[in-house]
Amino acid sequence: MKKIGVLGLMAALAVTGAVAFLPKGVMAAEDSDQTISQGVYIGDVDVSGMTQEEAKKAVEDDMSEAKAANITLKVDDQETVVSAGDLGLSWANEEVVQEAAELGKSGNIIKRYKDKKDLENESRKYDIDYFVDRSSIQKVLEEKEDVFNREPTDAQLSTENGAFEVVQGENGIELNVEKSVKKILKSLKTDWDGKNTTIELAADIKEPECTTEDLASITDVLGTATTYYGSTTGRNKNVETGVEKLNGHILMPGEEFSVTDAVVPFTEENGYELAPSYESGKVVDSYGGGICQVSTTLYNAVLNAELEVLERHNHTMIVTYVDPSKDAAIAEGLMDLRFANNTDYPIYISGYAYGGELTFTIYGHETRDPNRTVEYVSETTGTTTADGVALYATDQPVGYLSQTQGALQGLTAVLWKYVTENGETTKEQVNSSTYQATPVCYDVGVNTDNPTVAAAIQSAIANNDLDQVQAIISGNYGQTSTATADQAQSESQAQDQTQSESQAQDQQQSESQAQSDSAADNTQGGDGSSTPDVALPDDPTNGAVIE
């Protein structure tokens, strides 16, 4: 049998003595009580005397209140309120319940004794760790960013007493989602007490594309052009409406501009009225008739400013308010006038239409040599004429015959640009145009209960046979028996013919007067050329297009 050393014996006696002085209840290896000791808190929840299950439920109930807390998200003076639950709040350290339950009930005798003594003097609080879901935060911010985002307002130009005044622009605000997610995570995980709170989000400043400094450079006239208008009330209104929609546009360097996009749709709701225009080579009333004189005048101002023309189309048939190849037809969905600001400074489009005078002026910062001159010259390279007539059916009774349009000459043309600089002149082709010849056009009534007459009149129209139409109207067509059978109708048609001829005579007098009146006006282009302004409609191709 081995002997116990002196030191080992002394240590054993010391432990035995210490145990002798412990309270009797601490002598057990483990406390059999399954409830949490008194004075224990998890967060702000007193879990004393609770089982682990009871304590967990109590904390979860407290978490429900935390999830319902209002979190005010704010950027400057804009704010929105969401719940903490919306941000994906959850309880991250549920294991703390077991730690609370084991306090004073686990470990060696001395530790258990010490823990219980500490609780008699001071309660023990376990912190709740919150988990916030990053993806939930990002989703909320993306849904709410319109509350905070504000587009910048570009500086604008206004005219006062004939002089430009710059209207100050404003910066915009754009929510920085990534940085804001981090701010919310930090706030809720470190500084939050589970109650209502406000979090200032991160946002970036968006400066306007066009600033006051940019517009201060607009001091010079780069190009201008004027045409003259005066026709039906509807056409005049359409010209003025189109100019109003184009006036005031600012183009930054490199920016492109679509005239069609700026003036459509051609509807009554958009300010347009019915006015004469060409459709498939025929005069019809369309909303927006006259708008091509607006695009044409702007085209000439753009040429004189020497901006880059990206798209331009001539009319199908000749117009008379500018020289050939100086026109620019537009039609919704079919053709456009597009150009770009190829200068290093902003440009401003100024449009004016009043009292029959239509003017566009392009303002910007002049960098061209003041001794440099530019002139645009139209050259007609060929002409054509259309034979015969064009007949169109109309829902009028047989006997109705009305001339709607005189013959128009067709031609081909080229526009040349002459630049004189340092005593030398260069010549450059700008565009080429082809205009169709158009015969005299008539509307023919086709409404009748007589199938023989109906078939005959339709055949005459299909063949553009004016003589046959006139024969049908007078009753001198086909066999005598047919004419006799239709004698009663012919007498009625003779009366219609008399009325139709009177209408045709009135219209010819009106057209003659319009040409006489418009011949007194001059169309002044930016290059100094002039032509009489006869208020003929314009006709881009394929029909369903307006002038």
Side-chain angles (χ1 to χ4, degrees):
M1 185 174 182
K2 295 184 179 179
K3 296 182 179 180
I4 300 175
V6 175
L7 292 178
L9 180 60
M10 293 178 64
L13 290 173
V15 171
T16 302
V19 172
F21 288 101
L22 289 175
K24 183 177 181 180
V26 182
M27 296 296 293
E30 290 288 345
D31 196 323
S32 60
D33 188 1
Q34 298 300 311
T35 61
I36 298 174
S37 302
Q38 294 296 316
V40 178
Y41 290 77
I42 299 178
D44 292 333
V45 180
D46 184 357
V47 294
S48 304
M50 296 182 182
T51 64
Q52 289 192 42
E53 290 76 12
E54 292 170 338
K56 182 177 181 182
K57 184 178 185 306
V59 176
E60 287 175 342
D61 290 343
D62 186 67
M63 278 295 301
S64 297
E65 295 183 13
K67 289 180 179 180
N70 289 332
I71 310 299
T72 300
L73 306 177
K74 186 175 182 180
V75 175
D76 292 343
D77 57 347
Q78 301 297 318
E79 61 182 40
T80 187
V81 178
V82 300
S83 71
D86 293 335
L87 301 175
L89 180 71
S90 62
W91 181 15
N93 59 334
E94 294 184 4
E95 67 276 4
V96 76
V97 175
Q98 183 176 350
E99 293 179 19
E102 291 177 351
L103 183 64
K105 301 178 183 295
S106 64
N108 59 39
I109 296 175
I110 296 175
K111 181 180 182 302
R112 296 200 303 273
Y113 176 75
K114 182 178 181 304
D115 289 343
K116 288 183 177 291
K117 279 297 182 181
D118 289 343
L119 286 173
E120 291 176 4
N121 297 320
E122 183 179 9
S123 60
R124 174 71 179 273
K125 183 177 182 179
Y126 290 90
D127 291 332
I128 295 177
D129 290 341
Y130 295 115
F131 172 80
V132 187
D133 181 53
R134 176 184 289 270
S135 62
S136 296
I137 297 175
Q138 182 166 336
K139 180 181 178 181
V140 167
L141 292 179
E142 290 173 349
E143 291 175 350
K144 302 289 186 179
E145 61 183 344
D146 287 344
V147 174
F148 310 107
N149 290 348
R150 183 177 70 242
E151 290 299 318
T153 302
D154 288 338
Q156 296 291 328
L157 283 179
S158 65
T159 54
E160 189 70 28
N161 298 324
F164 282 128
E165 286 191 0
V166 178
V167 179
Q168 181 74 39
E170 292 185 2
N171 288 335
I173 293 176
E174 183 174 34
L175 182 68
N176 189 315
V177 174
E178 183 178 353
K179 290 183 178 179
S180 294
V181 168
K182 293 179 180 179
K183 294 192 73 171
I184 293 173
L185 285 171
K186 180 180 179 182
S187 177
L188 297 185
K189 292 181 73 172
T190 59
D191 304 327
W192 188 46
D193 61 359
K195 305 296 190 295
N196 295 344
T197 189
T198 298
I199 302 174
E200 188 75 28
L201 303 180
D204 300 322
I205 299 298
K206 291 181 65 178
E207 295 185 354
E209 293 182 6
C210 184
T211 65
T212 302
E213 293 73 19
D214 292 329
L215 297 189
S217 67
I218 300 178
T219 56
D220 307 306
V221 173
L222 302 183
T224 187
T226 297
T227 61
Y228 298 92
Y229 65 99
S231 182
T232 65
T233 301
R235 187 180 190 278
N236 294 345
K237 176 65 166 58
N238 293 337
V239 167
E240 292 160 7
T241 297
V243 171
E244 181 181 348
K245 294 181 184 298
L246 293 170
N247 177 56
H249 281 276
I250 296 172
L251 274 66
M252 299 302 291
E255 186 176 355
E256 298 181 6
F257 186 76
S258 163
V259 173
T260 302
D261 287 348
V263 299
V264 294
F266 298 119
T267 62
E268 184 177 8
E269 293 75 17
N270 200 29
Y272 294 105
E273 296 185 6
L274 290 170
S277 60
Y278 282 131
E279 182 175 310
S280 300
K282 182 175 181 289
V283 177
V284 297
D285 278 342
S286 300
Y287 282 104
I291 195 66
C292 282
Q293 185 167 351
V294 176
S295 57
T296 290
T297 308
L298 179 56
Y299 174 59
N300 282 267
V302 166
L303 288 178
N304 291 318
E306 297 186 86
L307 302 180
E308 182 183 3
V309 177
L310 303 173
E311 180 181 352
R312 170 263 173 191
H313 303 269
N314 62 273
H315 295 84
T316 302
M317 289 168 283
I318 194 68
V319 296
T320 57
Y321 41 76
V322 290
D323 292 337
S325 261
K326 287 188 176 182
D327 59 327
I330 64 172
E332 186 173 4
L334 292 174
M335 56 185 67
D336 197 358
L337 170 61
R338 294 189 305 114
F339 56 91
N341 177 8
N342 56 349
T343 76
D344 295 328
Y345 301 90
I347 61 171
Y348 177 84
I349 301 173
S350 173
Y352 171 89
Y354 183 76
E357 182 175 298
L358 164 57
T359 298
F360 276 105
T361 302
I362 309 294
Y363 291 92
H365 185 71
E366 185 61 83
T367 59
R368 294 171 294 185
D369 189 335
N371 297 318
R372 180 177 177 272
T373 62
V374 178
E375 181 182 13
Y376 293 91
V377 177
S378 169
E379 178 188 357
T380 298
T381 56
T383 60
T384 59
T385 57
D387 297 328
V389 298
L391 304 181
Y392 298 93
T394 185
D395 191 21
Q396 293 286 343
V398 170
Y400 178 87
L401 179 65
S402 176
Q403 180 178 332
T404 58
Q405 178 184 318
L408 293 177
Q409 185 182 53
L411 56 84
T412 56
V414 173
L415 185 63
W416 298 100
K417 177 181 180 181
Y418 291 88
V419 178
T420 302
E421 190 172 15
N422 298 324
E424 295 185 0
T425 300
T426 59
K427 177 182 177 182
E428 175 187 355
Q429 181 175 327
V430 177
N431 65 44
S432 62
S433 305
T434 300
Y435 303 93
Q436 295 177 7
T438 305
V440 178
C441 298
Y442 291 89
D443 277 350
V444 181
V446 297
N447 214 348
T448 178
D449 294 332
N450 187 318
T452 304
V453 172
I457 201 78
Q458 291 289 357
S459 175
I461 293 172
N463 294 313
N464 289 316
D465 190 338
L466 181 61
D467 291 338
Q468 180 70 358
V469 168
Q470 291 172 329
I472 294 171
I473 291 174
S474 65
N476 298 323
Y477 71 98
Q479 297 180 358
T480 304
S481 59
T482 305
T484 301
D486 297 330
Q487 181 176 359
Q489 180 173 342
S490 297
E491 291 175 355
S492 173
Q493 291 171 345
Q495 294 177 355
D496 293 339
Q497 169 67 7
T498 302
Q499 181 181 0
S500 175
E501 290 174 349
S502 176
Q503 291 173 340
Q505 182 178 4
D506 290 342
Q507 176 153 348
Q508 289 174 351
Q509 290 175 348
S510 176
E511 291 176 353
S512 176
Q513 182 63 42
Q515 293 176 354
S516 176
D517 291 343
S518 59
D521 295 329
N522 284 333
T523 299
Q524 185 65 46
D527 61 350
S529 64
S530 62
T531 61
D533 175 22
V534 181
L536 292 177
D538 310 301
D539 175 33
T541 57
N542 294 331
V545 288
I546 59 179
E547 67 169 306

